[in-house]
Amino acid sequence: MTSEAKRSFCVTAGTILAFVASVAVRVAFADTFAPGAVKFHRVLIEESTSKAKCESLDGRVFIETKLGTECVAYFVTKGFEPRRQAVLFFGGDASPEQFGTPGKLESELVMMKKLLQAWADKMRVRYVYVSRVGLQGSSGNHGERRLPKETFVMNAVVDALKERLGIDDIALAGQSGGATIAAALLTLGRTDVHCDVLGSGATELTEVQYDYLTRIGYHPNRNVLHRAMYDPSDHLGSIATRWDRRIFALADRNDTVVPYKYQAQFINELKGAGHLAKLIEVEGKGAHHHGTEFYSLAVAGACLNEVDDRPIVAAVAGGRSWGEQQQALIQLAHQLKRWKPPIGPVAVLKVAGDLSE
């Protein structure tokens, strides 16, 4: 490796390590449907009904859908504005305990912004973080996540951000419940999704929810769950065909939050429906082997840059040392094929050292 490549590798590895160390993997699933669960509550009520109030601050967009209105916060990285492509990322669910300590969620958002900017600089494309309903500056009730309204709101957010930021083609990526959104938006007939990256995705949503509730002693009804939630696997026939779209699921066999078998099942169903879909076994971070955000961000950028499947799989697949994996992740950023930036050579990442400042 050249000295610049080594320096770039070390900086990015430091960025990812800091992110993994500082961000608690969100593990929350049954809160909405378990009897007696701690309830969330609506936030930013005025902003949710007033476009003027919502958009009085930068980084917020007012959304109107057939199921109501919301004010959704977002963050977009700097640079590469002439490129009319972007990666949109949706984070995981928050537990009631995390919801009750918003400072932790805000600290997570600070780290996520730095990580997104790091990958944006490497991949030469904008990354956009979209805050989930009821979290991190977005209005609404996070207890209503995974329901149809959240799906339709996030779909409208994508449309609004495309217009506001000057984007034509997108990669969607998500973690856990955010991956459910990334999958669900495909089922709404979108033809602008070039890549879809599902990190630890609850994409067979009803089965995941049913198993969880049964395991903790409840007696759920599958039909009720199907009617209540927006389960991407219920709407596979609505996915528009696009010959160059690639869908990746990043899954750990030891994931104790979203079982591997359901992530594999969803990919097999997509293949059966004629879509280009690939399951990659990764090593999820955290005690539950569930954290895959940093893999998803790299894969989404590489896919949008039309990097072949083989180096993408090699970069994120488990079974190699951390150092080897980080080097492979960095190399993904040096395989741009189609788009060349108008501003010269790749800039070295500027995020370094202690990211807690």
Side-chain angles (χ1 to χ4, degrees), residues 232-244:
S233 68
D234 288 340
H235 306 279
L236 291 174
S238 300
I239 300 177
T241 300
R242 176 170 166 168
W243 70 269
D244 64 341

Side-chain angles (χ1 to χ4, degrees), residues 16 44 53 67 97 177 186 204 207 217 238 241 278 347 349 352:
I16 295 174
L44 301 176
K53 182 77 171 177
L67 295 181
E97 292 74 22
L186 274 183
E204 297 285 338
E207 294 305 315
S238 300
T241 300
K278 186 178 292 293
L349 290 175

Side-chain angles (χ1 to χ4, degrees), residues 214-237:
T214 300
R215 190 165 64 249
I216 62 176
Y218 297 109
H219 303 283
N221 182 300
R222 278 193 173 88
N223 291 330
V224 171
L225 293 176
H226 274 292
R227 289 195 299 269
M229 299 185 297
Y230 192 96
D231 185 339
S233 68
D234 288 340
H235 306 279
L236 291 174

